[in-house]
Amino acid sequence: PSAGLFVEQALDHLCLHLIRAYSTAAGPDVIRSHGLAPWQERRAKEILLASIDGRIGLDELARACGLSRSHFARALKATTGTPPFQWLLARRIERAKDLLLDTALPIDRIAHRCGFTDQSHFTRAFLKAVEVPPGLWRRSRRL
């Protein structure tokens, strides 16, 4: 029985090698090595964007993708290049930029709408990401 399993595994590896080496198909359902499947990536990003205020836990995201918490975190990082929190933080900053340009909302309201605990937290994160405070960024874009 163990010899049969060895032969099966060897054939699996040979087939995988042949597919990787000689396949020209790169369709949308190709699974990335150590990353999320395309449907998992879409689902995770939809959920994260729907709860941009940050009121979703890693456990819930992992469960929606059918993965353990630690595997999900590693797979999302392999897929997007950033850990889940950093990916969400970048989307929050993008959302804040849109609100800074398109609305007259005060910065503290924008901070809360984008999931930051307060204006100070938002200003520090914005400054780190954009290298300019949000108020100055807004004024420079509106001129």
Side-chain angles (χ1 to χ4, degrees), residues 110-127:
I110 290 173
H112 287 285
R113 283 196 179 182
C114 294
F116 294 94
T117 54
D118 56 33
Q119 182 176 342
S120 175
H121 178 219
F122 168 60
T123 300
R124 284 191 311 273
F126 194 92
L127 184 60

mmCIF file of all heavy atoms in Angstrom, residues 110-127:
data_model
loop_
_atom_site.group_PDB
_atom_site.id
_atom_site.type_symbol
_atom_site.label_atom_id
_atom_site.label_comp_id
_atom_site.label_asym_id
_atom_site.label_seq_id
_atom_site.Cartn_x
_atom_site.Cartn_y
_atom_site.Cartn_z
ATOM 1 N N ILE A 110 -14.242 63.201 8.985
ATOM 2 C CA ILE A 110 -13.650 62.318 7.971
ATOM 3 C C ILE A 110 -12.905 61.179 8.664
ATOM 4 O O ILE A 110 -13.011 60.020 8.257
ATOM 5 C CB ILE A 110 -12.718 63.111 7.033
ATOM 6 C CG1 ILE A 110 -13.548 64.038 6.143
ATOM 7 C CG2 ILE A 110 -11.858 62.174 6.185
ATOM 8 C CD1 ILE A 110 -12.747 64.994 5.286
ATOM 9 N N ALA A 111 -12.188 61.516 9.718
ATOM 10 C CA ALA A 111 -11.460 60.498 10.476
ATOM 11 C C ALA A 111 -12.406 59.406 10.962
ATOM 12 O O ALA A 111 -12.140 58.212 10.787
ATOM 13 C CB ALA A 111 -10.738 61.140 11.653
ATOM 14 N N HIS A 112 -13.519 59.795 11.542
ATOM 15 C CA HIS A 112 -14.480 58.814 12.058
ATOM 16 C C HIS A 112 -15.136 58.014 10.940
ATOM 17 O O HIS A 112 -15.340 56.808 11.083
ATOM 18 C CB HIS A 112 -15.538 59.493 12.940
ATOM 19 C CG HIS A 112 -14.981 59.917 14.254
ATOM 20 N ND1 HIS A 112 -14.699 59.037 15.273
ATOM 21 C CD2 HIS A 112 -14.627 61.138 14.726
ATOM 22 C CE1 HIS A 112 -14.199 59.681 16.298
ATOM 23 N NE2 HIS A 112 -14.142 60.968 15.998
ATOM 24 N N ARG A 113 -15.445 58.645 9.833
ATOM 25 C CA ARG A 113 -16.055 57.929 8.703
ATOM 26 C C ARG A 113 -15.115 56.889 8.095
ATOM 27 O O ARG A 113 -15.571 55.942 7.475
ATOM 28 C CB ARG A 113 -16.485 58.902 7.614
ATOM 29 C CG ARG A 113 -17.741 59.624 7.939
ATOM 30 C CD ARG A 113 -18.316 60.244 6.708
ATOM 31 N NE ARG A 113 -19.551 60.926 7.042
ATOM 32 C CZ ARG A 113 -20.288 61.530 6.157
ATOM 33 N NH1 ARG A 113 -19.922 61.569 4.896
ATOM 34 N NH2 ARG A 113 -21.405 62.113 6.520
ATOM 35 N N CYS A 114 -13.825 57.117 8.245
ATOM 36 C CA CYS A 114 -12.839 56.205 7.670
ATOM 37 C C CYS A 114 -12.305 55.195 8.691
ATOM 38 O O CYS A 114 -11.374 54.455 8.394
ATOM 39 C CB CYS A 114 -11.686 56.995 7.062
ATOM 40 S SG CYS A 114 -12.208 57.984 5.651
ATOM 41 N N GLY A 115 -12.902 55.183 9.881
ATOM 42 C CA GLY A 115 -12.565 54.161 10.863
ATOM 43 C C GLY A 115 -11.436 54.481 11.808
ATOM 44 O O GLY A 115 -10.948 53.589 12.502
ATOM 45 N N PHE A 116 -11.011 55.724 11.869
ATOM 46 C CA PHE A 116 -9.963 56.106 12.810
ATOM 47 C C PHE A 116 -10.601 56.488 14.137
ATOM 48 O O PHE A 116 -11.707 57.017 14.169
ATOM 49 C CB PHE A 116 -9.128 57.258 12.243
ATOM 50 C CG PHE A 116 -8.343 56.865 11.031
ATOM 51 C CD1 PHE A 116 -8.847 57.078 9.757
ATOM 52 C CD2 PHE A 116 -7.106 56.253 11.152
ATOM 53 C CE1 PHE A 116 -8.135 56.698 8.631
ATOM 54 C CE2 PHE A 116 -6.384 55.869 10.028
ATOM 55 C CZ PHE A 116 -6.895 56.095 8.765
ATOM 56 N N THR A 117 -9.902 56.239 15.222
ATOM 57 C CA THR A 117 -10.479 56.485 16.540
ATOM 58 C C THR A 117 -10.695 57.967 16.807
ATOM 59 O O THR A 117 -11.661 58.334 17.462
ATOM 60 C CB THR A 117 -9.597 55.888 17.652
ATOM 61 O OG1 THR A 117 -8.268 56.392 17.509
ATOM 62 C CG2 THR A 117 -9.584 54.379 17.580
ATOM 63 N N ASP A 118 -9.798 58.803 16.312
ATOM 64 C CA ASP A 118 -9.945 60.245 16.491
ATOM 65 C C ASP A 118 -9.105 60.970 15.442
ATOM 66 O O ASP A 118 -8.402 60.349 14.653
ATOM 67 C CB ASP A 118 -9.554 60.676 17.908
ATOM 68 C CG ASP A 118 -8.145 60.244 18.291
ATOM 69 O OD1 ASP A 118 -7.252 60.194 17.427
ATOM 70 O OD2 ASP A 118 -7.932 59.958 19.482
ATOM 71 N N GLN A 119 -9.188 62.288 15.452
ATOM 72 C CA GLN A 119 -8.487 63.090 14.459
ATOM 73 C C GLN A 119 -6.969 62.930 14.579
ATOM 74 O O GLN A 119 -6.258 62.895 13.579
ATOM 75 C CB GLN A 119 -8.870 64.564 14.590
ATOM 76 C CG GLN A 119 -8.190 65.436 13.540
ATOM 77 C CD GLN A 119 -8.639 66.882 13.611
ATOM 78 O OE1 GLN A 119 -9.674 67.185 14.198
ATOM 79 N NE2 GLN A 119 -7.866 67.764 13.004
ATOM 80 N N SER A 120 -6.478 62.822 15.782
ATOM 81 C CA SER A 120 -5.044 62.676 15.999
ATOM 82 C C SER A 120 -4.522 61.376 15.376
ATOM 83 O O SER A 120 -3.491 61.360 14.700
ATOM 84 C CB SER A 120 -4.746 62.700 17.495
ATOM 85 O OG SER A 120 -3.403 62.443 17.739
ATOM 86 N N HIS A 121 -5.249 60.293 15.606
ATOM 87 C CA HIS A 121 -4.881 59.000 15.036
ATOM 88 C C HIS A 121 -4.895 59.084 13.504
ATOM 89 O O HIS A 121 -3.973 58.608 12.828
ATOM 90 C CB HIS A 121 -5.861 57.937 15.541
ATOM 91 C CG HIS A 121 -5.625 56.580 14.984
ATOM 92 N ND1 HIS A 121 -6.658 55.749 14.640
ATOM 93 C CD2 HIS A 121 -4.501 55.898 14.700
ATOM 94 C CE1 HIS A 121 -6.169 54.616 14.170
ATOM 95 N NE2 HIS A 121 -4.860 54.683 14.192
ATOM 96 N N PHE A 122 -5.926 59.689 12.965
ATOM 97 C CA PHE A 122 -6.045 59.860 11.514
ATOM 98 C C PHE A 122 -4.882 60.695 10.967
ATOM 99 O O PHE A 122 -4.260 60.333 9.969
ATOM 100 C CB PHE A 122 -7.380 60.521 11.167
ATOM 101 C CG PHE A 122 -7.480 60.985 9.750
ATOM 102 C CD1 PHE A 122 -7.355 60.109 8.693
ATOM 103 C CD2 PHE A 122 -7.707 62.322 9.460
ATOM 104 C CE1 PHE A 122 -7.456 60.544 7.370
ATOM 105 C CE2 PHE A 122 -7.800 62.771 8.157
ATOM 106 C CZ PHE A 122 -7.678 61.878 7.108
ATOM 107 N N THR A 123 -4.586 61.803 11.626
ATOM 108 C CA THR A 123 -3.518 62.692 11.155
ATOM 109 C C THR A 123 -2.171 61.968 11.143
ATOM 110 O O THR A 123 -1.409 62.083 10.181
ATOM 111 C CB THR A 123 -3.450 63.965 12.021
ATOM 112 O OG1 THR A 123 -4.713 64.642 11.918
ATOM 113 C CG2 THR A 123 -2.351 64.895 11.562
ATOM 114 N N ARG A 124 -1.886 61.199 12.180
ATOM 115 C CA ARG A 124 -0.623 60.447 12.224
ATOM 116 C C ARG A 124 -0.556 59.423 11.096
ATOM 117 O O ARG A 124 0.465 59.305 10.412
ATOM 118 C CB ARG A 124 -0.453 59.750 13.578
ATOM 119 C CG ARG A 124 -0.044 60.661 14.701
ATOM 120 C CD ARG A 124 0.370 59.888 15.951
ATOM 121 N NE ARG A 124 -0.558 58.850 16.365
ATOM 122 C CZ ARG A 124 -1.611 59.036 17.151
ATOM 123 N NH1 ARG A 124 -1.883 60.245 17.605
ATOM 124 N NH2 ARG A 124 -2.394 58.024 17.472
ATOM 125 N N ALA A 125 -1.639 58.689 10.875
ATOM 126 C CA ALA A 125 -1.653 57.677 9.814
ATOM 127 C C ALA A 125 -1.555 58.322 8.435
ATOM 128 O O ALA A 125 -0.827 57.837 7.563
ATOM 129 C CB ALA A 125 -2.929 56.836 9.917
ATOM 130 N N PHE A 126 -2.282 59.408 8.235
ATOM 131 C CA PHE A 126 -2.268 60.117 6.951
ATOM 132 C C PHE A 126 -0.878 60.675 6.679
ATOM 133 O O PHE A 126 -0.338 60.538 5.581
ATOM 134 C CB PHE A 126 -3.299 61.245 6.958
ATOM 135 C CG PHE A 126 -3.606 61.812 5.605
ATOM 136 C CD1 PHE A 126 -4.651 61.299 4.852
ATOM 137 C CD2 PHE A 126 -2.863 62.859 5.076
ATOM 138 C CE1 PHE A 126 -4.945 61.814 3.593
ATOM 139 C CE2 PHE A 126 -3.145 63.384 3.832
ATOM 140 C CZ PHE A 126 -4.194 62.863 3.086
ATOM 141 N N LEU A 127 -0.283 61.291 7.683
ATOM 142 C CA LEU A 127 1.056 61.867 7.550
ATOM 143 C C LEU A 127 2.087 60.790 7.218
ATOM 144 O O LEU A 127 2.951 60.984 6.357
ATOM 145 C CB LEU A 127 1.445 62.589 8.839
ATOM 146 C CG LEU A 127 2.770 63.331 8.871
ATOM 147 C CD1 LEU A 127 2.802 64.413 7.806
ATOM 148 C CD2 LEU A 127 2.999 63.939 10.242
#
